[in-house]
Amino acid sequence: MGRRKRRRTRPVAVVKRKLPTVFQCPRCGAQAVSVTVKKTKEEKYVLVRCSNCGLSMRYDYKEYLEPVDYFSRFLDDYGEGKISSQEENIGGKNGESEELHNREN
């Protein structure tokens, strides 16, 4: 005499959550803020930009920071009034954000 065969349970797949890649703009409220890493031979920087209203900021690239971290800095800078217009912040190599974050770090 044998035992009744037991039904095997399927393993439960644990879904690994991913960090978001597109964020909500603090100025216009659109879900259109992207974080782009630009790497050239001379410099590495991160550009946080809203494709709807054009609000943008440039930051120095740090290997240990994720896009979410740059977006949180972007929100902090916007809340403090450090982000004013598109032309001033994207400008040349000595941008406002580089000076501010080099002093802090």
Side-chain angles (χ1 to χ4, degrees):
M1 294 190 135
R3 286 186 136 177
R4 189 176 283 203
K5 206 171 193 179
R6 218 174 200 203
R7 189 172 200 177
R8 187 178 290 178
T9 59
R10 289 187 180 180
V12 177
V14 178
V15 177
K16 191 171 185 181
R17 296 184 68 181
K18 296 179 183 177
L19 293 173
T21 56
V22 179
F23 306 96
Q24 186 176 6
C25 179
R27 181 190 287 169
C28 66
Q31 194 78 12
V33 176
S34 63
V35 179
T36 309
V37 178
K38 302 280 186 175
K39 296 180 184 179
T40 63
K41 291 182 180 180
E42 300 87 35
E43 63 181 347
K44 294 179 183 178
Y45 62 92
V46 177
L47 186 62
V48 182
R49 184 173 190 279
C50 176
S51 60
N52 191 32
C53 67
L55 183 67
S56 62
M57 192 71 168
R58 181 177 167 173
Y59 297 99
D60 291 335
Y61 176 74
K62 310 270 192 237
E63 291 182 19
Y64 56 87
L65 293 177
E66 296 288 325
V68 175
D69 300 321
Y70 289 109
F71 179 69
S72 64
R73 282 188 178 184
F74 179 73
L75 285 178
D76 293 341
D77 289 346
Y78 181 77
E80 293 173 3
K82 294 178 184 175
I83 303 175
S84 56
S85 69
Q86 182 179 3
E87 295 84 25
E88 292 178 13
N89 297 324
I90 294 179
K93 189 174 180 179
N94 297 326
E96 176 185 338
S97 66
E98 290 175 354
E99 294 172 8
L100 292 172
H101 291 294
N102 285 337
R103 273 189 275 146
E104 293 175 4
N105 295 333

